[in-house]
Amino acid sequence: MASNSQATGVINRRLIAFVILVLLHVGILYALATGLARKAVEMLAPPIEVENIDEVKKDEHEPPPPAPRMDFPPRVVRAAGGGGVAAVARA
């Protein structure tokens, strides 16, 4: 019989812990739904200050210089037979 009374005590403690946990979650959900969390954040956080910054205008009197021309090396064309003879193709 002693083991049976211990088991009921453990079940009662677990039931009490479960009920407290459910009530805690219900309280948190109520606070979020009613906006209490937002009010608390507004009270704790300082207001954000915003400042407009004027855009810096660039003087565009002269266009930028043209890009340098890239000279490509001549193409190498190999013979179809694979004899190792290469010819330079002129473009």
Side-chain angles (χ1 to χ4, degrees), residues 18-43:
F18 179 74
V19 169
I20 290 173
L21 185 66
V22 168
L23 290 175
L24 180 68
H25 280 84
V26 168
I28 291 172
L29 288 175
Y30 174 76
L32 290 174
T34 59
L36 292 177
R38 184 176 191 163
K39 291 177 187 174
V41 169
E42 288 176 359
M43 289 173 59

Side-chain angles (χ1 to χ4, degrees), residues 37-52:
R38 184 176 191 163
K39 291 177 187 174
V41 169
E42 288 176 359
M43 289 173 59
L44 294 176
I48 298 174
E49 296 181 15
V50 179
E51 184 176 318
N52 290 334

